[in-house]
Amino acid sequence: MATYKNTWVSRCVAEKQTMPHAYAITFTYADITEEIDGEWITEPPLGARVYRYKDVELMWKRIRSAANRKWKNEEFEMRYVIVGEKGTRFGRCHYHGVVFATHPIIELGKITSRKGNEFAYKRRLNWSIWGHGFVEFQIADRKGIAYCLKYILKARMTAERSKGHKREGKTEWLASSYLWCSKVPAIGSKWLWGKLNDLLSKGMCPPALRVRVPGGGDWYVSGKLQMEMCLFLHQANNEYQQLRGRNLAGWLTLIESVQDEIENSETGEICKRKPWEWLVNGEELEENPEHTAEQAQADFNALKE
């Protein structure tokens, strides 16, 4: 579990290095007071009782709309990682996330609070861009990002994953809805490709599928990004061999780091892990007969760019 959280923290720290502005934010809902049958009743709004990612989606639209008006002659870009959580005490839904932007989004909309109508960290603020209750900003360093992203662990606390653990009985209460993030490109990937290209320019490759993010610890690259990284390195090493007659520095160490064999769950056959296949054989490219050598080279050039 800790590895999962730390991986996301490292990815966010990596993403932050490619964006001028980053914010770790908590979004909450305020109670509403309305008249029902002649009585004024205060109660949590619907968004505090059930997850309403539509509210978050509309907030992204308001941010982009306001940014395009304020910085109309400049290209605005925003990316995010956000997850919903239910409070363990009252069960109120709220959201924790990290937002990255090319411009200071805190200049958008109107900010008010009991202690003054100015932006401040670690203070309950009313931000018109959110408009449903309070927001609280943390400094988006590793500590602040880790604080907000610790809640993504609860997104994995399903009953299936929790069998045999003391938390199993609490999974329905604690589990968050799901992790929602920018995917094109993947969070941290722009920094990752820059790191890989820097190593390749020196005739090197990473010694493992784990990269050190300055100020962000180790990032073990996984999922689809792992496949893309392996295929990228496979072709890069092939080109380096043709050019220099030898492997990239660190190549054999990288191969050794993924050489452990596993058992095929369907056939029981002992086979190499996918990363090994991708690095050594470029398996994904070879399995697709329509993926020509010219297309593979074009994909490789696009990744380098």
Side-chain angles (χ1 to χ4, degrees), residues 23 70-71 104-111 127:
Y23 309 90
K70 184 176 179 65
W71 301 297
I105 61 172
I106 56 173
E107 295 181 7
L108 304 175
K110 183 179 180 181
I111 288 178
W127 188 26

Side-chain angles (χ1 to χ4, degrees), residues 232-263:
F232 174 71
L233 291 173
H234 164 79
Q235 189 154 348
N237 190 64
N238 283 352
E239 288 195 354
Y240 193 79
Q241 283 181 326
Q242 294 172 9
L243 183 65
R244 299 295 180 88
R246 61 180 184 272
N247 291 318
L248 292 164
W251 179 255
L252 295 181
T253 303
L254 174 61
I255 297 301
E256 289 175 0
S257 73
V258 296
Q259 70 178 357
D260 293 341
E261 297 179 329
I262 60 173
E263 181 178 332

Side-chain angles (χ1 to χ4, degrees), residues 170-209:
K170 301 180 181 179
T171 52
E172 184 176 352
W173 176 259
L174 290 176
S176 62
S177 49
Y178 58 86
L179 177 70
W180 187 17
C181 65
S182 301
K183 295 182 179 179
V184 183
I187 293 293
S189 61
K190 184 177 179 180
W191 176 87
L192 176 64
W193 297 128
K195 172 71 173 179
L196 294 178
N197 276 299
D198 181 58
L199 289 172
L200 293 179
S201 69
K202 301 171 183 176
M204 303 167 61
C205 70
L209 298 179

Side-chain angles (χ1 to χ4, degrees), residues 3-175:
T3 300
Y4 180 68
K5 183 192 79 171
N6 291 337
T7 293
W8 269 105
V9 172
S10 296
R11 288 182 66 171
C12 285
V13 174
E15 181 71 19
K16 180 184 175 183
Q17 296 184 53
T18 66
M19 286 287 211
H21 304 277
Y23 309 90
I25 319 176
T26 297
F27 303 92
T28 62
Y29 287 87
D31 287 340
I32 57 175
T33 301
E34 56 185 351
E35 186 178 5
I36 300 178
D37 297 331
E39 292 186 37
W40 289 95
I41 298 176
T42 300
E43 61 182 3
L46 180 61
R49 301 195 299 268
V50 296
Y51 293 117
R52 283 175 54 87
Y53 273 84
K54 184 68 175 178
D55 291 340
V56 179
E57 181 182 5
L58 291 175
M59 178 184 65
W60 300 146
K61 290 182 178 180
R62 286 193 291 273
I63 289 176
R64 291 190 174 97
S65 178
N68 290 332
R69 289 195 302 271
K70 184 176 179 65
W71 301 297
K72 58 183 177 181
N73 296 323
E74 304 171 39
E75 186 174 347
F76 174 76
E77 184 181 359
M78 179 185 67
R79 295 164 57 68
Y80 53 81
V81 177
I82 195 165
V83 67
E85 188 218 3
K86 284 187 177 180
T88 56
R89 188 175 180 185
F90 298 111
R92 295 176 67 109
C93 298
H94 53 283
Y95 301 93
H96 302 274
V98 186
V99 181
F100 310 91
T102 52
H103 296 71
I105 61 172
I106 56 173
E107 295 181 7
L108 304 175
K110 183 179 180 181
I111 288 178
T112 60
S113 76
R114 293 181 178 179
K115 296 184 178 181
N117 300 337
E118 296 180 355
F119 172 81
Y121 287 109
K122 296 184 178 181
R123 179 187 296 176
R124 298 180 75 184
L125 305 173
N126 289 297
W127 188 26
S128 61
I129 292 291
W130 170 235
H132 295 285
F134 298 109
V135 297
E136 183 176 313
F137 290 82
Q138 301 278 339
I139 296 175
D141 54 11
R142 180 176 174 81
K143 182 179 179 180
I145 291 173
Y147 170 79
C148 280
L149 293 190
K150 69 183 179 181
Y151 298 97
I152 71 174
L153 292 177
K154 295 180 181 180
R156 294 168 61 84
M157 284 183 61
T158 61
E160 182 64 28
R161 288 193 176 105
S162 300
K163 285 182 178 178
H165 297 274
K166 291 182 179 180
R167 66 167 186 259
E168 184 175 359
K170 301 180 181 179
T171 52
E172 184 176 352
W173 176 259
L174 290 176

